[in-house]
Amino acid sequence: MSASGGNKAIVAALLANVGIAITKFVAFLLTSSSSMLAEAIHSVADSGNQGLLLLGGKRAKREATPQHPFGYGRERYIYAFIVSIVLFSVGGLFALYEAYHKWHDPHGIESWQWVPVTVLVVAIVMESFSFRTAIKESNHIRGSQSWVKFIRRAKAPELPVVLLEDFGALVGLVFALFGVSMTLVTGNGEWDAAGTAMIGVLLVTIAVVLAIETKSLLLGEGAEAHDLAAIERAVTEGPEVERIIHMKTLYLGPEELMVAAKIGVPQCETAEELAAGIDAVEARIRAAVPTARVIYLEPDIYRADAAREGNGSASSTAAPQDASDEAAGRPGS
């Protein structure tokens, strides 16, 4: 994902939510509608969340240090996880509390009755523009994936977070409009409480989904199957490598993949020849998968006869003879 595309969606959502939050608070002060208060707090939480995403993106660009030799790319995951906690607590739990309070003390909307409906309709229009921007930016990288797969598999957290937040905001506005409209028609404030409760359940559900997905990214995810296949082809398509003995990948950040592999190489006359071969393999990996920026290759001499004496799995039980220490485990430049 291009950082500019994600930032564009975040800024669009931030501007929309700040404006919406102000109008919702004004509507709440005029009408005392619990749905309006829940939606106002929801917009404040969303605005703070977009600020957190922008902050995480900025901090992730810091240069690597001796204490953090692989850089700070995962800060984007950390701030996305914080967003899920904010959405759960400030947005969802507050809405549920407000619904409980309003249900036990229901009252209709007695003044400025046109205000909440007008504000909600305007908010739906503004939120739709923000949602449209998030969809447009996501389509640049989504390809043929379904929306569910895109949200679950995206390594950059910003667009999935904004998509889910904007979707939740639109649905929440519809719930609020339902609760307010039914309260105005019936004069029964319990409809307002019901709309607020639906908003709370919706926000808690979205927060849980976000937390699960960002937790997986924080724990560390490897490359997708198509990238793994491309890396394997890049390693083995030249004469420098006979086979991959074993390989592991790990995303150090949304746009930085680490590749670590033990490879079986043919006999070499000199260490320089071996080093040149490894350089060629690294170049092919980076050409095949540009996000593979940190590469460690350990060359060994593969012996199939020794592997058969083990458990029969030649790809995982190879008995290597140590190659030159000068070339072993060389990190990508």
Side-chain angles (χ1 to χ4, degrees):
M1 183 199 84
S2 66
S4 60
N7 286 342
K8 184 177 180 180
I10 295 171
V11 171
L14 176 60
L15 294 175
N17 280 313
V18 169
I20 292 170
I22 293 173
T23 56
K24 287 175 181 175
F25 272 119
V26 172
F28 164 70
L29 293 174
L30 294 174
T31 63
S32 298
S33 167
S34 66
S35 293
M36 293 306 305
L37 179 59
E39 274 298 304
I41 297 299
H42 176 193
S43 294
V44 170
D46 281 354
S47 299
N49 288 342
Q50 276 108 46
L52 287 171
L53 291 176
L54 291 173
L55 178 61
K58 182 178 180 180
R59 291 181 61 83
K61 295 177 181 178
R62 290 179 294 166
E63 296 294 330
T65 65
Q67 188 176 8
H68 298 92
F70 291 112
Y72 294 84
R74 286 197 180 185
E75 286 226 34
R76 289 165 69 180
Y77 300 152
I78 294 172
Y79 279 87
F81 188 76
I82 294 174
V83 163
S84 68
I85 296 173
V86 172
L87 192 64
F88 178 84
S89 56
V90 177
L93 295 185
F94 179 84
L96 291 175
Y97 167 78
E98 183 64 20
Y100 175 83
H101 176 74
K102 185 63 178 283
W103 185 265
H104 287 81
D105 183 24
H107 53 79
I109 300 175
E110 299 175 355
S111 60
W112 300 89
Q113 296 183 350
W114 57 272
V115 169
V117 174
T118 303
V119 167
L120 289 170
V121 171
V122 172
I124 288 173
V125 173
M126 295 175 65
E127 199 68 60
S128 296
F129 281 108
S130 173
F131 193 37
R132 178 187 175 189
T133 301
I135 290 174
K136 182 179 178 181
E137 296 300 326
S138 299
N139 282 333
H140 292 324
I141 59 173
R142 184 171 65 93
S144 59
Q145 294 182 94
S146 68
W147 286 107
V148 173
K149 286 184 177 181
F150 172 70
I151 290 172
R152 294 196 62 185
R153 295 181 179 178
K155 304 305 179 186
E158 290 84 1
L159 281 177
V161 169
V162 173
L163 279 168
L164 286 175
E165 280 192 344
D166 284 353
F167 173 77
L170 277 174
V171 176
L173 287 168
V174 173
F175 288 163
L177 185 60
F178 168 78
V180 168
S181 299
M182 292 301 297
T183 299
L184 291 173
V185 170
T186 64
N188 187 350
E190 290 181 349
W191 286 106
D192 194 17
T196 307
M198 289 190 291
I199 294 169
V201 172
L202 172 70
L203 295 182
V204 167
T205 301
I206 291 176
V208 169
V209 172
L210 282 177
I212 291 173
E213 296 305 318
T214 51
K215 174 191 173 186
S216 178
L217 292 169
L218 278 171
L219 288 174
E221 291 187 357
E224 295 291 336
H226 63 279
D227 284 337
L228 279 175
I231 293 171
E232 289 173 357
R233 286 194 300 269
V235 171
T236 58
E237 68 183 4
E240 303 88 358
V241 177
E242 293 179 337
R243 68 187 303 135
I244 297 174
I245 299 173
H246 61 73
M247 181 175 70
K248 293 183 180 181
T249 62
L250 178 68
Y251 271 95
L252 303 175
E255 288 135 16
E256 188 172 31
L257 178 67
M258 182 176 71
V259 178
K262 178 178 282 189
I263 53 177
V265 299
Q267 295 279 358
C268 297
E269 295 293 334
T270 65
E272 288 78 6
E273 182 182 350
L274 179 61
I278 291 176
D279 288 341
V281 175
E282 289 179 355
R284 290 201 300 268
I285 293 174
R286 290 192 174 92
V289 182
T291 54
R293 300 179 182 177
V294 180
I295 302 174
Y296 295 92
L297 299 178
E298 180 183 350
D300 283 309
I301 305 301
Y302 180 81
R303 297 192 330 195
D305 55 341
R308 284 194 294 270
E309 292 174 1
N311 61 10
S313 175
S315 62
S316 61
T317 60
Q321 298 172 352
D322 289 340
S324 168
D325 290 339
E326 179 181 345
R330 298 173 65 255
S333 57

